[in-house]
Structure formats: structure tokens, C-alpha cells
Amino acid sequence: MKKLIGLIVLAVCLMGAKAFAAPVPSNTNGCSGFSLSGGECLLSGSSRGSQGTNLTSNPSNNGFLINPAGEGYSYITKFEGGNTIWSSEGGSTVITLPESISSMFSQIAIGIKQGPVWAVFLIDTALGSYTFNQNGISNVTFYSAANIAETPLPAAAWLFLTGLAGVLGLRARQRKKAQG
């Protein structure tokens, strides 16, 4: 019985902690004309001209990572054209996160390149798939967000303490019954 109560309290604490995690707002304005369902635009750019930058695997030459908006992020991986993580339908593209990325991170930045123009969005990996407002993607780049906390500590602490108090209260009541 004690183990069952402990497991129930632990499950409630874990579910509550996930519920209090900050959601990623949806980007409605786009990023240089780009928009991604369930994503907040962080930065956009172009590889055109002498001042152009790109989304490369080299951190010192990556347009997102060398910008202040990319501070605290690190390159994970890149998927190039013809890959199976996206499919175009009508005037939009659906991007499905690989299991290897969605299981390791709760929030990441995703860079989308279309021709010479690119945009980077902050996303919550729990959604699993995202709709990009255009076709013709040439590559998708992923960045980990090391500076983003998954669960705010105060919410997790309060949930844990509440569950612990409940378990201790049940234990005290059982002892009182056994003695009385």
C-alpha cells in the first residue's frame, strides 16, 4: 500500500511539473515572411550578398549562433533536401521531429532554409510535427537550447512538497489507527 501511494504521489508530481512548464507561444507575424505552427520566431537572415550568413554546422560561421539571439544555443544536426522529416502538401510543408531529437529535448530551436533565406524558431518538442507556411525547403537545422529550463523550480518544489505532506499525513493516520 505504501509503495502504491508513493507511486501515485510521484506520478502526480511529474504530471504537475510538466503542466507548469512554460509553453512556447505561436508566431503569427512570421520571420521574413516565414511562419511555423507552434513556433516563436527567434531570427531570420539571408545568405545573399557579402553580408549574408547561413545555417552551417560551423558555429563560427552560423548566422544564428553568431547572433546575440543564438546565445546559449548549440548546433545539434542538419537534415538536407529530400530527407524524410518533411513533406510538402499544397502551399505548406509539414516537418516531423525525429525521435532522437524529441526524446532528448523539451525545447529546441529549428532553422529552416528556403533558397537563400532562412529563419530560426523556438519550438516545444511535445507537439511532434509543425507546419511551415511555404514549400521548397532545402534544409532543416536543429539547435539545443541549453539556457532554457524545462520546469520552473518553484512549481516543481510546491508539487513535490504537497505530495510529500499527503504521504506523511496518511502514514500518521495509519499509525494512529494501529495504536488506537
Side-chain angles (χ1 to χ4, degrees), residues 52-149:
T53 58
N54 215 336
L55 301 180
T56 68
S57 58
N58 179 355
S60 63
N61 191 28
N62 185 300
F64 174 63
L65 295 177
I66 61 174
N67 190 284
E71 188 176 325
Y73 289 86
S74 59
Y75 174 85
I76 300 173
T77 190
K78 179 190 250 182
F79 292 92
E80 306 242 4
N83 203 291
T84 59
I85 70 164
W86 72 81
S87 62
S88 296
E89 300 170 12
S92 62
T93 300
V94 176
I95 300 169
T96 305
L97 292 183
E99 179 67 29
S100 60
I101 291 175
S102 61
S103 65
M104 289 177 56
F105 304 98
S106 65
Q107 287 186 330
I108 58 172
I110 180 172
I112 301 169
K113 185 166 185 279
Q114 180 188 37
V117 184
W118 53 265
V120 179
F121 298 87
L122 178 64
I123 60 170
D124 183 345
T125 60
L127 295 176
S129 66
Y130 307 85
T131 303
F132 180 63
N133 68 331
Q134 298 173 21
N135 287 334
I137 294 175
S138 59
N139 62 60
V140 176
T141 309
F142 294 100
Y143 304 92
S144 65
N147 62 340
I148 298 174

Side-chain angles (χ1 to χ4, degrees), residues 3-26:
K3 288 182 182 179
L4 178 62
I5 292 172
L7 287 174
I8 291 171
V9 169
L10 180 63
V12 168
C13 289
L14 290 175
M15 287 187 308
K18 186 68 175 176
F20 282 103
V24 176
S26 215

Side-chain angles (χ1 to χ4, degrees), residues 5 9 161-177:
I5 292 172
V9 169
L161 291 174
T162 304
L164 186 60
V167 169
L168 293 175
L170 284 173
R171 183 178 278 176
R173 188 187 313 179
Q174 288 174 347
R175 283 186 190 153
K176 212 176 202 181
K177 275 186 179 181

